[in-house]
Amino acid sequence: MEEIQSQSDAYRSSSSSASSPASRVPSSHFFYLRKPGSLQQPISFEDSPEWGEDTDVEARADEGVGGDTINVATSASPSLSKLNSGSLASPYGSYILEGAALPNKISGASVVWRDLTVTIKGKRKYSDNVIKSSTGFALPGTMTVIMGPAKSGKSTLLRAIAGRLHPSTRTYGEVFVNGAKSHLSYGSYGFVERKTTLIGSLTVREFLYYSALLQLPGFLFQKKNVVEEAIQAMSLGDYANTLIGGHCYTKGLSGGERRRVSIARELVMRPQILFIDEPLYCLDSVSALLMMVTLKKLASSGCTLIFTIYQSSTEVFGLFDRICLLSNGNTLFFGETLACLQHFSNAGFPCPIMQSPSDHFLRAINTDFDRIIAMCKNWQDDNGEFSSVNMDTAVAIRTLEATYKSSADAAAVENMVMKLTEKEGPSLKYKGKASAATRIAVLTWRSLLVMSREWKYHWIRLVLCMLLTLCIGTIFSGLGHSLSSVGTRVTAIFVFVSFFSLLSIAGVPGLIKEIKIYACEESNQHSSALVFLLGQLLSSIPFLFLISISSSLVFYFLVGLRDEFSFLMYFVLNIFMCLLVSEALMLLVATLWQDIFWSFLTLLCIQVVMMLSAGYLRIRNDLPGPVWIYPMSYISFHTYSIQGLLENEYLGSTFSIGEVRNISGFQALQNIYDISSDTNSKWSNLLVLFLMAVVYRFLVFILLCRKSSLPFSCCRCKRVDTEFTT
């Protein structure tokens, strides 16, 4: 403590000349480049009036749950005083605060975390402890923000409180909900990820309605009511019938509106607690203010809001009720927002009058600024000048941490934590889920609707398949049924099957998009691996069958294959099974990579290798044994598809040689392609294709289960309730 105090005093003494009114340099930056004739003193955190002289800010804890009110400085900042009076600079603010209807009251819940420590092996070079003994609370009707620089542990702390950390992590400490140690049950809370995937081809109302069908049990009219409530809660009434956008080159909603849609998806459950990771992620200043005012309106309905944030404007900062300030996993402050300003002032780092509080906080505790200052010094020294900027962020962090631990703010937090945990309140009830059959039906119908609208992923693929079929069919048209045409007919079938399956790779972008939507829904238990696979299969069957029958009919009649209805139907069924296998293989590779480039590259290599080992370029029995026969020719679905089509075409047929001798179709193919003489072998090949489609999808199911990163998807992370000393 004495070392910290001495270093802090040394820092303050080095910048005292800059803090005096006579030598004050008006600048909003933390350093300046010296010009001829200018002063050479540095700009420091003390380059501002003392907040304590003008304002009377006290850190206090509320007496009862839900009785917290927002406190805004009235004399320190003009922007904050405007927020306190309700007159926002933004034209949207007064509309939302005064004109918009508030959502129905929600029975919130108090959340307390005490001595919470999260350990992730190898996560940090300097320490395995991402969160170090954090203590805090969140009350109904309030907004509690977790703030800090990048990689300070904000998202990890948020996930630890929500119980959504990866099973490989270890959590020490205690989390209480309404005074009881319990995990948050389904439906009692919502969690909004930093990056969420929305379905651009649906309107806002359609998207939320399908989300409600996936999440909620009960009747349809009840789900429509909660959807309308969620739309009004997030001020999306003007965009309810607007396409979300982002598909097929449509613009759709803006970033802020899309972010509010992702939050509204969680509101259809009417959760008592809402966790949001970076609600202002990639938003401009106007959208950020509109978002936070909307969330403030939501909190006023009784919901407990806990979210992370990197930095904010002064107006947005004034809307927060409590702030938890982190740096390298250490809690530097927890309490009311204006008490944080007083805390920095008491530690010797008062906020400049013209600077945003959040910018000031992050400037003081972000170690990256040390590198910027060092670069500035080096640049000036190289030019023959010297900068006396003397700011060690590590000293500021240790000073702030030590000041907080010995302050009345920390004591008030401990007292409030004890008060909230001494008596157990009502437990959060499990609200129930939609049945698996309902979810499968909803996903199937939603996917069919998306397919009908997204021409870029589906209808262009159908057009390309038809064009390819026309090209192959016209090239191999008019072959006749003589013995001399057998080799050319085998070539036509091989080219059709190989190129047709190769063209199916065009469906990879659509599959990756479906996988990302599934991952987003599965993270909040709105879906599961089995439900997703069955829904995706049922929705893809009509589209794949449409491609199969349209292309098969064109090819069949242009090439002039056997003119019987049963043979034609087998041809269509064989191509359909071939597409099912190809689709399952694409789904497996897309799930493995979840990247368009690597999925395309991997599938292209697999398809080419399967084509080489299909037995056409060289008869199957003549292929090199170790690799190409075993296992490549047996795992190539091209082999079974081509065999089945050739057996369908030639088994049972005969060819005349001269006027006396006849040979069977099997004998005619012996030197061109290996097929079986059994008349039922074509059905065996069809069965193998079906089994391959099942096996590939089963592998996708296993992969999806293993890729699940949340505790409720695999297993609960082990929570150890014990004391932990850092």
Side-chain angles (χ1 to χ4, degrees):
M1 186 69 184
E2 294 179 357
E3 178 188 356
I4 295 175
Q5 184 65 31
S6 62
Q7 289 176 329
S8 179
D9 293 341
Y11 165 71
R12 283 195 287 267
S13 63
S14 68
S15 58
S16 59
S17 59
S19 300
S20 61
S23 60
R24 179 83 40 88
V25 180
S27 174
S28 60
H29 303 286
F30 61 90
F31 68 89
Y32 71 98
L33 302 180
R34 186 171 65 84
K35 297 180 180 180
S38 63
L39 298 176
Q40 299 188 25
Q41 286 79 10
I43 304 299
S44 71
F45 283 125
E46 294 192 359
D47 186 38
S48 64
E50 293 289 340
W51 280 71
E53 298 175 359
D54 300 331
T55 60
D56 183 17
V57 182
E58 296 180 2
R60 64 184 183 273
D62 295 317
E63 295 295 333
V65 176
D68 182 59
T69 57
I70 182 171
N71 294 283
V72 183
T74 58
S75 60
S77 171
S79 300
L80 290 177
S81 62
K82 288 182 180 181
L83 277 174
N84 193 37
S85 63
S87 58
L88 295 175
S90 170
Y92 302 99
S94 59
Y95 169 76
I96 294 180
L97 288 177
E98 300 173 5
L102 292 176
N104 294 334
K105 285 294 180 181
I106 298 175
S107 177
S110 64
V111 180
V112 174
W113 61 97
R114 183 167 60 192
D115 295 330
L116 198 61
T117 299
V118 179
T119 301
I120 303 177
K121 188 65 175 177
K123 182 67 175 179
R124 300 283 190 269
K125 293 182 179 179
Y126 48 83
S127 174
D128 289 339
N129 297 328
V130 183
I131 302 297
K132 305 169 187 176
S133 192
S134 176
T135 299
F137 60 90
L139 300 178
T142 66
M143 294 198 305
T144 302
V145 57
I146 303 172
M147 181 181 290
K151 298 181 181 180
S152 61
K154 303 186 298 296
S155 298
T156 303
L157 178 58
L158 188 73
R159 291 180 178 277
I161 298 171
R164 294 168 61 96
L165 287 174
H166 194 276
S168 62
T169 62
R170 299 203 62 180
T171 306
Y172 304 85
E174 300 168 316
V175 176
F176 300 85
V177 180
N178 280 344
K181 294 181 184 179
S182 61
H183 294 293
L184 295 171
S185 58
Y186 175 80
S188 64
Y189 79 103
F191 195 100
V192 183
E193 299 283 354
R194 181 181 306 176
K195 295 181 180 180
T196 55
T197 303
L198 306 178
I199 305 177
S201 56
L202 299 179
T203 64
V204 172
R205 181 173 280 112
E206 289 173 342
F207 178 76
L208 296 179
Y209 181 60
Y210 284 119
S211 297
L213 291 175
L214 288 174
Q215 299 178 52
L216 299 172
F219 300 101
L220 297 180
F221 70 90
Q222 295 175 335
K223 299 177 182 181
K224 291 182 178 180
N225 293 335
V226 297
V227 167
E228 296 303 322
E229 290 179 6
I231 290 174
Q232 295 303 320
M234 296 309 298
S235 303
L236 291 168
D238 295 338
Y239 312 100
N241 297 317
T242 304
L243 288 176
I244 295 175
H247 79 292
C248 302
Y249 310 107
T250 59
K251 185 177 180 181
L253 303 180
S254 64
E257 293 155 0
R258 292 169 65 89
R259 193 71 173 135
R260 281 184 279 151
V261 171
S262 64
I263 297 175
R265 173 168 54 185
E266 301 304 317
L267 293 183
V268 298
M269 286 292 295
R270 293 186 61 82
Q272 289 102 320
I273 307 169
L274 183 60
F275 300 91
I276 310 176
D277 192 6
E278 294 283 358
L280 307 184
Y281 182 71
C282 293
L283 299 186
D284 58 75
S285 58
V286 176
S287 299
L289 180 60
L290 181 59
M291 169 67 75
M292 295 312 302
V293 174
T294 305
L295 291 178
K296 188 65 180 178
K297 180 187 69 172
L298 176 64
S300 66
S301 67
C303 183
T304 304
L305 289 180
I306 307 175
F307 53 88
T308 63
I309 197 170
Y310 177 72
Q311 83 185 118
S312 65
S313 63
T314 305
E315 289 81 3
V316 170
F317 179 82
L319 295 174
F320 303 151
D321 293 295
R322 288 186 182 83
I323 180 174
C324 178
L325 191 62
L326 296 180
S327 180
N328 292 342
N330 298 299
T331 302
L332 304 186
F333 178 81
F334 182 88
E336 296 182 2
T337 52
L338 291 183
C340 188
L341 288 169
Q342 185 65 46
H343 168 64
F344 270 73
S345 180
N346 294 338
F349 311 112
C351 181
I353 191 65
M354 297 300 292
Q355 188 172 3
S356 169
S358 65
D359 290 341
H360 173 65
F361 298 157
L362 296 178
R363 166 65 185 88
I365 64 178
N366 196 341
T367 56
D368 292 337
F369 278 104
D370 291 339
R371 297 200 301 267
I372 299 176
I373 294 173
M375 292 171 58
C376 178
K377 286 183 178 180
N378 294 334
W379 185 87
Q380 290 181 330
D381 293 341
D382 292 340
N383 287 271
E385 299 178 345
F386 178 76
S387 172
S388 59
V389 175
N390 182 20
M391 177 57 197
D392 188 356
T393 306
V395 175
I397 292 174
R398 291 197 298 269
T399 303
L400 289 167
E401 185 179 8
T403 303
Y404 171 68
K405 288 181 178 180
S406 61
S407 66
D409 298 292
V413 171
E414 291 293 338
N415 292 334
M416 192 62 179
V417 167
M418 292 180 60
K419 185 180 298 185
L420 291 172
T421 56
E422 64 184 1
K423 184 185 298 184
E424 292 189 8
S427 60
L428 303 185
K429 296 182 179 180
Y430 175 78
K431 296 184 178 180
K433 299 180 181 179
S435 64
T438 300
R439 291 183 173 187
I440 293 173
V442 171
L443 288 179
T444 302
W445 182 253
R446 187 181 71 179
S447 298
L448 289 173
L449 180 60
V450 170
M451 286 182 181
S452 65
R453 294 180 180 178
E454 294 192 348
W455 51 266
K456 184 173 66 174
Y457 297 140
H458 299 92
W459 298 112
I460 286 185
R461 180 181 168 187
L462 176 62
V463 172
L464 291 177
C465 289
M466 290 299 299
L467 290 176
L468 175 66
T469 304
L470 283 172
C471 293
I472 297 175
T474 52
I475 288 175
F476 292 97
S477 60
L479 294 180
H481 293 277
S482 63
L483 183 61
S484 60
S485 67
V486 172
T488 308
R489 197 178 298 273
V490 173
T491 302
I493 293 176
F494 170 79
V495 170
F496 178 70
V497 172
S498 300
F499 284 43
F500 198 69
S501 59
L502 188 63
L503 189 60
S504 63
I505 300 178
V508 167
L511 288 178
I512 291 180
K513 189 174 181 180
E514 290 184 14
I515 293 171
K516 290 182 178 180
I517 294 172
Y518 156 75
C520 187
E521 293 177 340
E522 189 268 346
S523 65
N524 286 330
Q525 294 181 283
H526 302 166
S527 183
S528 64
L530 183 61
V531 169
F532 164 70
L533 288 176
L534 290 177
Q536 195 276 335
L537 174 63
L538 293 176
S539 62
S540 63
I541 284 177
F543 178 72
L544 295 180
F545 188 77
L546 176 62
I547 294 179
S548 302
I549 193 170
S550 57
S551 302
S552 297
L553 289 175
V554 172
F555 176 82
Y556 200 90
F557 289 107
L558 283 178
V559 176
L561 301 181
R562 297 179 72 172
D563 191 12
E564 290 187 26
F565 182 76
S566 60
F567 296 136
L568 172 61
M569 287 298 98
Y570 178 86
F571 191 95
V572 173
L573 190 59
N574 185 291
I575 297 301
F576 173 69
M577 285 295 175
C578 187
L579 284 182
L580 275 182
V581 177
S582 182
E583 189 89 359
L585 180 61
M586 285 194 301
L587 189 60
L588 177 62
V589 174
T591 304
L592 182 64
W593 287 114
Q594 296 189 17
D595 179 80
I596 294 179
F597 173 77
W598 289 109
S599 298
F600 266 122
L601 188 62
T602 303
L603 285 169
L604 183 62
C605 294
I606 291 175
Q607 292 272 7
V608 170
V609 171
M610 287 184 174
M611 290 164 57
L612 293 175
S613 59
Y616 168 74
L617 300 176
R618 189 175 183 184
I619 295 179
R620 186 176 185 180
N621 292 331
D622 296 337
L623 290 172
V627 176
W628 292 103
I629 294 182
Y630 309 103
M632 291 310 303
S633 66
Y634 284 92
I635 64 176
S636 171
F637 66 89
H638 300 72
T639 303
Y640 304 100
S641 178
I642 296 171
Q643 278 185 355
L645 293 178
L646 292 177
E647 289 163 355
N648 181 64
E649 178 69 17
Y650 287 106
L651 289 185
S653 62
T654 58
F655 295 93
S656 300
I657 300 178
E659 298 181 357
V660 179
R661 185 184 174 189
N662 293 330
I663 62 172
S664 64
F666 172 75
Q667 294 173 328
L669 283 175
Q670 278 184 331
N671 296 326
I672 302 175
Y673 201 90
D674 290 332
I675 63 173
S676 174
S677 59
D678 186 4
T679 56
N680 294 322
S681 61
K682 66 178 183 179
W683 300 107
S684 300
N685 288 317
L686 201 64
L687 178 61
V688 171
L689 290 175
F690 173 77
L691 292 177
M692 292 181 73
V694 173
V695 169
Y696 282 139
R697 289 189 178 269
F698 180 72
L699 293 176
V700 174
F701 174 77
I702 296 176
L703 195 59
L704 289 176
C705 292
R706 290 182 61 86
K707 277 182 173 288
S708 298
S709 59
L710 297 178
F712 51 73
S713 298
C714 302
C715 60
R716 283 283 180 187
C717 63
K718 186 177 181 181
R719 192 182 293 273
V720 182
D721 297 327
T722 181
E723 284 191 24
F724 187 85
T725 304
T726 57

